[in-house]
Amino acid sequence: MKLILALFLLIASAAQAQQQRFLTALLQRMTLEEKIGQLNLLTSDMDVTGPFMKENYKQDILSGACGAIFNAYTPQYTRMLQDMAMKTRLKIPLLFGYDVIHGHKTIFPIPLGEACTWDMELMEKTARIAAEEASADGLHWTYSPMVDIARDPRWGRVAEGVGEDTWFGEQVAKAKVRGYQGTDLSAPNTVLACVKHFALYGAIEAGRDYNTVDMSRRQMYQFYLPPYKSAVQAGAATVMTSFNEVDGIPATGNHWLLTDLLRKEWGFKGFVVTDYTSINEMIPHGIVKNEYEAAELALKAGVDMDMQGSVYATQLKKLVEDKKVPVKLIDDAVMRILEAKYKLGLFQDPYRYCDTQRAAKVIMNGEFLQTARETAQKSIVLLKNEGQLLPLKSNQKIALIGPLGDAQRDMIGNWSAAGDFKKAVTLLQGLKAAGVNVSYAQGSDISADAQLMGKLGLQPGDADKLLQEALETARAADVVVLALGESQGMSGEAASRSDIGIPDAQKRLMEAVLQTGKPLVLALFNGRPMTLEWENAHIPAILETWFGGSQAGNAIADVLLGKFNPSGKLTMTFPRNTGQIPIYYNRKNTGRPMDANNKYTSKYLDVPNGPLFPFGFGLSYTTFTYGPVSLSARSMAMNGTLRATVTVSNTGNFDGYETVQLYLRDVTASVNRPLQELRGFKKIFLRKGERREVSFSISVDDLKFYDRDMQYVAEPGEFRVQIGPNSRDVQEVAFDLKP
């Protein structure tokens, strides 16, 4: 074994030396203009995802003034562009990137929905499938995973992340990087991962996209930075800067963030790319006067590649001539980009990702679509099921009512860039395929707001006629499924909302259908937590389906009809109303914690402090009973471990999955600590009547935090172990950590 390991290390060392010799020789041959070209990332005209594009990008490729292209895919198209690069003097291959966020052609649930599966192996698998398809379609690089921790559901981009919890976000970050990059980037079915948005973008003020961020270093290190760090430690090849400022300096020009923290403290070896035109945007930030200063600040901060802004392309040569920027900084940035291209095997074969036969075989094959259906099933969260209305019976007459019941485009959600919505399965199609008696009526527009409908590209219908058709359809049925929520364009980038309730037009529809007296099931389609107080008070069954992807309709039908027992658990808190925002489970206590009998304590006059649906929440068609929590000991040494155990029983009438969650609390510490923090979970499958003992091992690493001196330590004292089906309904036992 030792001999094999030694041989492996020798081969790896030789390969590394060969790479270094090749790239060093190449760099020495490059002119300054050719070097600057490698730092220039431009969009093609195939798909524009930002405010503008550079029309003569093809001329830039031919002149060697562009090193990478995004928004270009298919083997034929990327081959055509790569041919242009092969006509340049040094024939340095292009790098092709794209927003492969929750699948490439086979679209999986939006990341926030997928996170609700609490299935790390499945999340790694969907990233692997996305990489298989994207690489077969001419792509080398995905701008994913987004690991921004977010506590404000008004922000549209919560759809693109995995919620509010730091520890959970770390696990997903690692799984996604492994899925995209595999174990060997030279394999032609892998793509470079790009962790984003570095850093803190999920904490923007007022939940308004592109807004400012301001927080303490302690908050950064404890709650917001760890998922980025985990992605880097998992080997993420690239990092994307965020639009916001960090400690008063835009991330794209922040030397502490990109050099001191990312490279020196965390040891990141890959290259850093900006988000769309974020070097240019440092001017309105007020940190630089012009693009000349912006280019200098960004390069010296540690930015290697300029996305779409062309600031490096127009300013770096003059900065070198003016002796403002040493060529060594440009050389370092170029070398990091060339290394990525080398690791992908592009210098050996620039066309290795341009195989049309592979694309035809791989993309949207049956296995991938089945995984999409399974992922969508597991992402669905049952929020309410009064009177066991669900699952529906196959002999019931079902009225499907609502503007999202047969909306193909909305099924694949936002940031489904290359997805073909015409191949998506709607809920109506899914129910029909299941063979049930279903009739459909649109019922209402997405919104009565003409301006919003225009922004979404939707045409308004005759509101009264739509409503009457819906009421007639409802009266003829045994049960009504309301397909309501958001259009896909109402969440995602540049889609912040100040009111995150169901739009008024759909509320009017709900209220009218309720008056028919028919049993109602609300199937929600949305990219964020919503405010659902009225719905929770009046509708007996609520199913959170998110935007489920290519197989959304089949998966929702499977759950509605009991072919799959819902098992999803929320990874982001649902507030009662927007006035509670930000609201999240791992809050800290105050000096005046809520006391219902004391006015002068921390509470609202009009609503309870707690959310409508807490973090980790999700029901099942069966019931699970938790026995008492036991500990292997009531104290633990600094170098020891402790085992926490609970017995979980399936006491209902269905087989099903349950996610058993472990939370910890540090009762007294040198700095204020959260009332609970997720530190583990076990997803188990229990047949009806079955019981299982579930155990968690707790070590000192689970108890560490940043103390008064910003040292990452565990302090002796009392800790509490909390175990339950969600963050609210837990049992608690205590132990002491000894010095």
Side-chain angles (χ1 to χ4, degrees):
M1 186 66 186
K2 288 183 179 179
L3 183 61
I4 294 173
L5 180 60
L7 183 61
F8 174 79
L9 292 174
L10 185 64
I11 293 171
S13 178
Q16 179 67 31
Q18 181 181 0
Q19 171 188 308
Q20 194 63 32
R21 286 194 300 271
F22 175 84
L23 295 180
T24 300
L26 178 61
L27 188 66
Q28 290 171 347
R29 294 176 59 202
M30 296 174 71
T31 65
L32 177 60
E33 290 82 1
E34 287 169 330
K35 292 174 182 178
I36 293 170
Q38 287 300 303
L39 312 186
N40 192 22
L41 169 62
L42 297 175
T43 181
S44 86
D45 49 8
M46 177 182 239
D47 188 7
V48 180
T49 56
F52 67 90
M53 67 165 290
K54 195 171 187 290
E55 292 182 1
N56 60 340
Y57 73 94
K58 290 181 181 177
Q59 185 56 46
D60 286 332
I61 296 173
L62 287 166
S63 65
C66 175
I69 291 288
F70 67 115
N71 295 335
Y73 61 93
T74 74
Q76 299 90 338
Y77 188 53
T78 56
R79 177 178 286 274
M80 183 264 289
L81 296 178
Q82 197 70 283
D83 277 338
M84 295 180 184
M86 291 303 102
K87 291 182 174 70
T88 60
R89 185 178 75 92
L90 294 177
K91 297 179 173 54
I92 298 174
L94 290 168
L95 189 67
F96 292 107
Y98 199 58
D99 285 295
V100 182
I101 305 301
H102 52 111
H104 179 60
K105 288 292 190 179
T106 301
I107 304 298
F108 302 99
I110 58 169
L112 183 61
E114 186 186 60
C116 294
T117 67
W118 292 60
D119 189 330
M120 296 301 157
E121 289 184 5
L122 184 60
M123 283 188 261
E124 181 175 341
K125 183 179 180 181
T126 61
R128 177 91 299 276
I129 289 172
E132 291 271 2
E133 289 194 339
S135 61
D137 217 14
L139 293 167
H140 313 132
W141 186 22
T142 173
Y143 304 129
S144 176
M146 189 191 102
V147 300
D148 303 329
I149 297 302
R151 295 171 169 179
D152 191 332
R154 293 173 298 180
W155 187 42
R157 296 195 82 165
V158 299
E160 199 179 332
V162 299
E164 69 193 46
D165 184 69
T166 305
W167 181 88
F168 188 87
E170 290 181 85
Q171 314 316 309
V172 178
K174 291 183 283 189
K176 288 298 181 182
V177 170
R178 290 193 301 265
Y180 290 132
Q181 297 189 173
T183 57
D184 182 5
L185 279 173
S186 68
N189 63 346
T190 60
V191 293
L192 304 174
C194 185
V195 60
K196 65 183 189 185
H197 305 87
F198 193 62
L200 319 180
Y201 195 31
I204 53 174
E205 292 181 358
R208 196 172 71 244
D209 220 350
Y210 317 118
N211 206 1
T212 58
V213 171
D214 190 15
M215 68 171 65
S216 67
R217 288 286 170 101
R218 184 180 312 285
Q219 191 84 338
M220 287 186 209
Y221 274 85
Q222 191 71 53
F223 298 110
Y224 286 87
L225 291 177
Y228 307 110
K229 184 178 181 181
S230 290
V232 168
Q233 291 175 334
T238 68
V239 167
M240 181 184 290
T241 64
S242 55
F243 289 118
N244 56 278
E245 65 182 70
V246 175
D247 201 14
I249 302 170
T252 301
N254 197 308
H255 186 276
W256 171 81
L257 183 71
L258 302 180
T259 297
D260 296 340
L261 180 68
L262 180 63
R263 294 202 183 280
K264 293 180 180 178
E265 190 173 325
W266 293 357
F268 176 64
K269 303 298 184 186
F271 74 81
V272 173
V273 62
T274 72
D275 208 337
Y276 208 109
T277 66
S278 65
I279 297 180
N280 316 61
E281 292 167 26
M282 289 196 289
I283 300 170
H285 265 291
I287 201 77
V288 292
K289 290 188 295 186
N290 50 42
E291 290 186 355
Y292 181 82
E293 291 185 1
E296 179 184 5
L297 186 63
L299 190 72
K300 288 182 175 178
V303 169
D304 301 310
M305 187 179 283
D306 174 8
M307 180 189 284
Q308 194 55 23
S310 296
V311 180
Y312 279 0
T314 59
Q315 304 298 327
L316 282 186
K317 184 178 180 181
K318 182 167 174 43
L319 282 163
V320 171
E321 292 170 347
D322 293 345
K323 301 190 183 313
K324 294 279 190 178
V325 166
V327 175
K328 174 68 164 58
L329 281 183
I330 295 175
D331 287 349
D332 290 345
V334 172
M335 183 61 81
R336 287 189 279 262
I337 292 163
L338 296 178
E339 284 173 350
K341 294 180 179 183
Y342 190 96
K343 288 175 182 177
L344 288 168
L346 296 178
F347 283 103
Q348 293 174 309
D349 179 7
Y351 305 106
R352 67 201 310 260
Y353 286 68
C354 301
D355 185 342
T356 54
Q357 290 183 337
R358 181 175 161 231
K361 181 180 178 181
V362 167
I363 289 174
M364 294 194 83
N365 65 47
E367 177 190 346
F368 293 174
L369 289 172
Q370 181 55 39
T371 301
R373 185 169 181 163
E374 175 191 348
T375 309
Q377 289 170 343
K378 291 184 176 181
S379 72
I380 293 169
V381 184
L382 181 62
L383 297 177
K384 185 180 180 184
N385 194 20
E386 192 176 275
Q388 298 299 299
L389 179 56
L390 292 174
L392 302 177
K393 299 174 180 60
S394 59
N395 61 353
Q396 287 178 304
K397 292 180 181 178
I398 301 170
L400 175 62
I401 295 173
L404 291 156
D406 195 31
Q408 268 189 309
R409 175 62 189 91
D410 294 298
M411 295 304 97
I412 61 175
N414 56 76
W415 276 126
S416 49
D420 184 354
F421 71 84
K422 294 177 183 177
K423 294 182 179 179
V425 180
T426 68
L427 179 50
L428 178 61
Q429 292 169 336
L431 288 169
K432 285 182 175 179
V436 297
N437 185 346
V438 59
S439 53
Y440 172 67
Q442 179 182 324
S444 75
D445 291 327
I446 286 286
S447 173
D449 184 336
Q451 186 177 14
L452 176 59
M453 290 285 283
K455 289 179 180 178
L456 297 172
L458 301 173
Q459 295 297 319
D462 184 329
D464 292 334
K465 182 180 178 182
L466 289 173
L467 181 58
Q468 289 308 311
E469 289 173 349
L471 294 176
E472 290 172 12
T473 303
R475 292 186 187 109
D478 298 320
V479 62
V480 176
V481 176
L482 292 167
L484 307 177
E486 298 180 316
S487 163
Q488 60 83 27
M490 293 171 71
S491 59
E493 185 172 0
S496 298
R497 295 180 62 201
S498 64
D499 179 355
I500 56 171
I502 292 176
D504 287 344
Q506 297 178 62
K507 285 184 177 178
R508 177 181 175 229
L509 172 63
M510 270 191 293
E511 292 168 357
V513 174
L514 181 67
Q515 296 304 312
T516 67
K518 299 293 182 178
L520 299 186
V521 177
L522 173 57
L524 281 168
F525 296 83
N526 47 302
R528 55 159 58 83
M530 302 189 79
T531 50
L532 303 167
E533 273 201 302
W534 186 92
E535 293 80 1
N536 188 53
H538 293 89
I539 297 179
I542 304 175
L543 202 63
E544 173 57 82
T545 77
W546 310 106
F547 296 119
S550 300
Q551 289 289 303
N554 284 331
I556 301 166
D558 291 338
V559 171
L560 286 171
L561 298 170
K563 296 177 182 178
F564 186 86
N565 188 352
S567 60
K569 301 275 189 175
L570 299 177
T571 60
M572 197 167 182
T573 300
F574 275 50
R576 296 176 185 274
N577 58 46
T578 53
Q580 288 186 309
I581 298 170
I583 184 169
Y584 47 94
Y585 88 93
N586 53 343
R587 62 184 177 85
K588 298 177 181 179
N589 220 343
T590 78
R592 292 191 182 189
M594 190 198 79
D595 180 348
N597 299 314
N598 185 345
K599 176 180 178 180
Y600 298 100
T601 56
S602 183
K603 60 181 181 294
Y604 297 104
L605 291 176
D606 53 342
V607 294
N609 282 9
L612 189 62
F613 300 114
F615 177 89
F617 181 80
L619 302 174
S620 169
Y621 292 154
T622 193
T623 53
F624 296 100
T625 303
Y626 284 64
V629 176
S630 63
L631 299 179
S632 57
R634 287 303 175 118
S635 64
M636 186 177 88
M638 281 287 182
N639 60 352
T641 58
L642 195 68
R643 185 161 293 275
T645 304
V646 66
T647 297
V648 181
S649 303
N650 183 341
T651 52
N653 297 318
F654 293 82
D655 302 339
Y657 289 97
E658 172 66 335
T659 301
V660 185
Q661 299 161 38
L662 169 74
Y663 299 87
L664 297 176
R665 180 186 177 188
D666 189 345
V667 178
T668 306
S670 58
V671 298
N672 197 0
R673 302 285 293 121
L675 292 171
Q676 55 182 170
E677 293 180 290
L678 182 71
R679 283 296 179 266
F681 67 89
K682 297 283 181 69
K683 188 167 185 176
I684 59 173
F685 183 80
L686 294 178
R687 301 197 179 279
K688 59 181 180 181
E690 185 181 1
R691 65 173 56 190
R692 186 177 307 173
E693 187 176 86
V694 179
S695 293
F696 297 92
S697 180
I698 301 168
S699 73
V700 71
D701 287 338
D702 298 311
L703 312 178
K704 288 182 177 179
F705 67 101
Y706 289 93
D707 69 5
R708 287 183 186 178
D709 300 319
M710 289 301 292
Q711 299 300 305
Y712 193 59
V713 299
E715 295 177 344
E718 181 185 352
F719 289 82
R720 293 180 187 171
V721 176
Q722 304 168 353
I723 296 179
N726 58 68
S727 60
R728 181 187 63 199
D729 304 315
V730 294
Q731 299 180 67
E732 188 175 77
V733 292
F735 72 92
D736 290 321
L737 178 65
K738 299 297 184 183

